[in-house]
Amino acid sequence: MRTTGPREGAAGPGDGTAAPKADSAVVRDALGVGIAVGLSGFAFGVTSAGAGLTLPQTCALSLLVFTGGSQFALVGALAAGGNPLTAAAGAFFLGVRNTFYGLRLSQLLALPRLLRPLAAHAVIDETAAVSLAQPTRRGARIGFTVTALTLFVLWNLTTLLGGLGAEAVGDTAAWGLDAAGPAVFLALLAPMLRTATERATAGIAVLLGLGLLPVLPGGVPVLVAALAAPLVLFLRGRDASRAKGPANDRKEEVR
């Protein structure tokens, strides 16, 4: 059987054989993701205000950056007293993952050139996940568009409400609202840790970040924690090489 690449209402993005999915089902899934995550913009607004950013600065971050993890990393580092450049560097490295999403989505969505710069702004975890889960290009385009629009509107609206609410209550730390941002971020991250490698990477990153927090300037522990990924990959590669060694020796003995 010959398989074909993704096209409107036909072949799936993965193997070219998946059955089409109803547009209404795609819209429903996309709305669910957009609404669920978009509401957490309130936590970012509160966290940003607690870190000392003004309401216009907080809203500008959601409008122009629009990638929750990087936004939380930036304001978290600033709240810890970190240098703005260091905080921005940590947020930048965390946002680099969106570049890899873009490489995959550019082929899957195949959008017209005029729309690509606008779509690039909406390439984040949620839009990538919904798009890649669809069996057809049409479904991927609908999922991407609905998720992006829903999430962008709600995220920015709730960011504004969170910033206004933080200004109204005054000291966010006294109310415990300063912990809302990290709590939401961890809640979003936890379900993604499905394999032993992912859990090990997250665990080492936490140990590095928390262990170095008392001895390094604010924002730097976040950058160092990023070394967890190459460390785990290196250890996995070394274990795989050791496992192949005895297997190759047995093959030589058989020969």
Side-chain angles (χ1 to χ4, degrees):
M1 180 184 294
R2 183 177 68 88
T3 58
T4 58
R7 64 178 185 272
E8 297 277 345
D15 57 11
T17 60
K21 189 175 182 180
D23 292 352
S24 59
V26 178
V27 171
R28 183 180 62 248
D29 294 344
L31 284 174
V33 172
I35 293 172
V37 180
L39 293 176
S40 63
F42 183 86
F44 171 72
V46 171
T47 305
S48 182
L53 275 70
T54 66
L55 184 61
Q57 289 173 332
T58 297
C59 292
L61 276 175
S62 282
L63 284 168
L64 302 177
V65 178
F66 187 52
T67 170
S70 297
Q71 293 177 225
F72 277 119
L74 175 63
V75 299
L78 292 176
N83 182 284
L85 293 178
T86 304
F92 171 79
F93 283 116
L94 189 58
V96 164
R97 70 192 187 284
N98 294 333
T99 303
F100 298 100
Y101 295 154
L103 293 175
R104 179 68 182 94
L105 290 177
S106 65
Q107 299 176 346
L108 174 60
L109 301 177
L111 296 174
R113 288 184 178 274
L114 291 178
L115 294 178
R116 290 177 188 176
L118 185 63
H121 188 54
V123 174
I124 53 177
D125 296 323
E126 293 77 18
T127 54
V130 173
S131 300
L132 294 173
Q134 308 311 317
T136 64
R137 173 170 290 166
R138 175 182 173 81
R141 286 177 172 176
I142 294 173
F144 180 88
T145 303
V146 175
T147 304
L149 292 176
T150 306
L151 187 50
F152 186 81
V153 171
L154 273 181
W155 181 266
N156 283 281
L157 177 60
T158 54
T159 292
L160 174 62
L161 295 176
L164 290 172
E167 289 186 350
V169 300
D171 185 6
T172 55
W175 293 78
L177 296 177
D178 56 324
V184 170
F185 187 59
L186 289 176
L188 294 174
L189 177 64
M192 300 180 185
L193 306 177
R194 298 171 182 170
T195 66
T197 300
E198 292 168 348
R199 290 191 288 270
T201 302
I204 294 174
V206 169
L207 291 176
L208 286 174
L210 294 180
L212 297 174
L213 193 60
V215 296
L216 292 178
V220 176
V222 176
L223 299 178
V224 178
L227 297 176
L231 175 62
V232 170
L233 291 176
F234 169 75
L235 294 176
R236 277 199 63 190
R238 189 175 64 175
D239 290 343
S241 298
R242 288 178 177 177
K244 289 180 180 178
N248 291 334
D249 292 341
R250 286 194 294 272
K251 289 180 180 179
E252 291 295 332
E253 290 176 0
V254 171
R255 291 177 183 174

